[in-house]
Amino acid sequence: MIALTLAEIAAITDGDLRLVDPDISETTVSGVVDTDSRNMTPGGVFIAKPGAETDGHRFVAAAVTGGASVAVVEHIVDAQVSQVVVKDAVTALADLARAVVARVRAEGQLKIVGITGSNGKTTTKNLLARILEDEGETISPINSYNNEVGAPVTMLRVTDSTRYLVSEFGAAGPGSIAHLAGLVEPDIAIVLMVGMAHAGGFGGIEETARAKAELIAASRPGGTAVLNIDDSRVAAMRDAATAHDMHIVGFGQDGSADVRASDVQVAADGTRAVITTADATLPLHLKVLGAHHITNALAAIAAAGVLGVPLADAIARIETVQVAERWRMQPLGNDRVRIINDAYNASPDSMAAALRTLAQITGPDERTVAVLGAMSELGESAGEEHDRIGLLAVRLNIRRIVVVGPEARRLYLSVVGEGSWDSEAVHLPDQDAAYEYLRTELRDGDRVLVKSSNSVGLRHLGDRLGELFS
């Protein structure tokens, strides 16, 4: 974080400053800002956020031990540290992020990119950050820090020397993207896709589309909207971008895209395509598995182009990326039994893409094995969407389908109903049962996909299988 005095922090957050020493109000701090006491470093600012399972106020002393110079609290805590007492710690965190980014931006160097979409945000963020880090200091979220806490914490990592801030915005509900993006008003707004992920929480896919479009309205007028024109709902955001006085850069495989991909080929060593812009046409070999990640690469290349990065440089840099992120199409295992751990999250779109990738990278003498758990947050569409994935798995001729957990039983019944029987499909109660089954079932030549929503936890099963066959 940039250097701020304790008095400035209190003023920004509309808080009541309680000092351990009356003479230190003008003392500056410039350390990490976080809600996790374990992340504190000397000069840090600890945000004591109340939570459903625990309360950050209980960890103020631990934060001080870690080096925190000040704690932002909702009530005074018995600890030897200066405290800023605020009405709401999360609101104070957001206010602090808004003020810090505004100060850095006023210096004229900082450019801000905002990313949203039902799938692909984290991969796109990582690819774009890899491109931009060779241009100048780049701040981007750790893991998927894209909510009301993670996004501001990422924003507060900017310093006076930061050239690019890449922010990822998830949608907890209507208005959440507008709020988070509004803290920084991105210069570039990337909208990847509108899918069924979290649709249950919005009341349907059209409401989801409206939520994603909030990023356009919250961006800077005169900025650039980078839109996936292969997705009709995203392409329809052109009107909102134009009304907001934004330039438009379209990406996709459609021939009208400003940044487009053709000749997409998926193999076990990654995904290849030909990338075309107004200035050049070049081949891309993306190490990340799956044709769907070409869309994410196009978005990153398009945004980088807006920022002046030539296509050749952008491609050369993202070709060095080996894995999108842990638990996202992460290759594990060995040449005999290959594991693809893609169980950080799952939506109908990402589940279908992962299954297609499994089929595409498996040779004629190899066997496809899909280990599948439930997709969460689909609301009334959950049953229908699990049926659709079961049907797709059978039609892709996935040879072994292992369904894990009671929440995914509908998927298993769909698989059986479509004609998989005689041990081609099994339903197991939990991860441990699945591990014991797979430990003896898997054999040389198997290509194994592990896929579920984060809440199901199959990513840990994927790790165990990867270690078993390492």
Side-chain angles (χ1 to χ4, degrees):
M1 185 183 73
I2 63 172
L4 294 174
T5 67
L6 300 185
E8 285 177 314
I9 292 173
I12 290 167
T13 60
D14 193 24
D16 180 13
L17 180 60
R18 307 290 183 90
L19 299 170
V20 291
D21 182 336
D23 296 326
I24 64 171
S25 64
E26 296 305 310
T27 298
T28 60
V29 295
S30 58
V32 67
V33 182
D34 211 312
T35 61
D36 190 332
S37 62
R38 296 168 295 185
N39 294 335
M40 283 296 104
T41 57
V45 180
F46 178 63
I47 310 294
K49 182 183 79 69
E53 298 182 1
T54 189
D55 187 342
H57 294 81
R58 296 173 51 197
F59 300 94
V60 171
V64 175
T65 300
S69 294
V70 61
V72 177
V73 298
E74 294 183 3
H75 57 77
I76 288 292
V77 175
D78 184 13
Q80 286 299 305
V81 65
S82 296
Q83 299 173 42
V84 178
V85 186
V86 299
K87 292 181 180 179
D88 185 284
V90 174
T91 299
L93 175 65
D95 290 341
L96 197 57
R98 181 189 292 109
V100 165
V101 171
R103 290 194 187 189
V104 175
R105 193 181 217 163
E107 298 298 320
Q109 174 179 262
L110 181 65
K111 292 295 183 181
I112 301 171
V113 182
I115 304 171
T116 195
S118 298
N119 299 113
K121 294 183 294 295
T122 299
T123 299
T124 302
K125 171 260 297 184
N126 287 338
L127 295 176
L128 180 57
R130 175 62 193 91
I131 296 171
L132 296 179
E133 66 186 16
D134 285 0
E135 300 292 314
E137 182 180 305
T138 300
I139 299 297
S140 63
I142 300 169
N143 298 322
S144 293
Y145 273 27
N146 60 24
N147 61 11
E148 63 177 1
V149 172
V153 164
T154 298
M155 296 167 188
L156 284 163
R157 289 168 51 209
V158 302
T159 67
D160 293 322
S161 59
T162 303
R163 186 170 176 187
Y164 303 106
L165 170 63
V166 181
S167 287
E168 177 183 338
F169 300 122
S176 60
I177 292 177
H179 166 66
L180 293 175
L183 299 178
V184 294
E185 297 183 339
D187 300 285
I188 299 174
I190 300 174
V191 186
L192 296 167
M193 65 172 297
V194 177
M196 290 299 296
H198 315 302
F202 291 92
I205 196 165
E206 296 304 329
E207 289 299 323
T208 301
R210 278 187 276 273
K212 303 305 180 187
E214 290 173 7
L215 177 58
I216 304 295
S219 295
R220 276 198 160 188
T224 302
V226 177
L227 304 177
N228 178 8
I229 64 170
D230 291 342
D231 184 310
S232 61
R233 292 182 175 86
V234 177
M237 296 178 193
R238 286 176 178 270
D239 292 342
T242 300
H244 200 55
D245 193 29
M246 299 184 77
H247 305 286
I248 298 168
V249 174
F251 65 92
Q253 295 187 47
D254 187 277
S256 65
D258 300 295
V259 180
R260 65 184 181 274
S262 58
D263 300 327
V264 178
Q265 300 176 17
V266 180
D269 65 345
T271 309
R272 290 173 172 80
V274 175
I275 309 300
T276 299
T277 67
D279 299 319
T281 296
L282 293 170
L284 166 67
H285 178 198
L286 188 66
K287 305 299 191 302
V288 183
L289 293 173
H292 52 300
H293 287 306
I294 291 296
T295 298
N296 304 326
L298 287 173
I301 291 168
V306 173
L307 294 169
V309 180
L311 177 62
D313 291 343
I315 287 178
R317 294 168 193 174
I318 64 176
E319 286 186 333
T320 67
V321 177
Q322 300 293 320
V323 179
E325 186 95 11
R326 187 183 181 191
W327 300 318
R328 290 176 171 86
M329 298 302 287
Q330 181 183 6
L332 300 170
N334 54 39
D335 288 340
R336 297 183 298 105
V337 178
R338 293 178 183 166
I339 312 295
I340 303 171
N341 193 352
D342 193 35
Y344 186 83
N345 260 327
S347 67
D349 295 308
S350 68
M351 185 78 84
L355 285 168
R356 291 190 182 100
T357 300
L358 175 65
Q360 289 169 327
I361 67 171
T362 303
D365 297 326
E366 300 169 341
R367 183 175 67 157
T368 49
V369 180
V371 184
L372 307 177
M375 300 175 289
S376 59
E377 300 183 58
L378 297 179
E380 294 179 356
S381 301
E384 176 184 343
E385 293 300 330
H386 282 88
D387 286 346
R388 187 169 69 86
I389 293 302
L391 172 61
L392 177 63
V394 174
R395 290 186 174 177
L396 288 172
N397 196 30
I398 305 300
R399 301 295 297 279
R400 284 287 185 274
I401 302 173
V402 180
V403 181
V404 184
E407 299 87 355
R409 182 169 176 77
R410 176 75 176 257
L411 194 159
Y412 169 73
L413 294 176
S414 175
V415 167
V416 173
E418 291 299 325
S420 284
W421 58 79
D422 195 22
S423 299
E424 290 179 354
V426 296
H427 181 230
L428 299 168
D430 53 38
Q431 288 188 52
D432 289 337
Y435 178 79
E436 290 303 318
Y437 172 80
L438 291 163
R439 187 170 60 85
T440 57
E441 170 66 20
L442 295 181
R443 66 193 191 203
D444 288 2
D446 281 350
R447 303 298 176 250
V448 186
L449 169 70
V450 182
K451 182 74 173 170
S452 75
S453 283
N454 196 308
S455 59
V456 180
L458 290 195
R459 61 194 184 280
H460 303 302
L461 173 62
D463 285 344
R464 292 172 70 186
L465 293 173
E467 183 176 351
L468 178 66
F469 293 102
S470 62

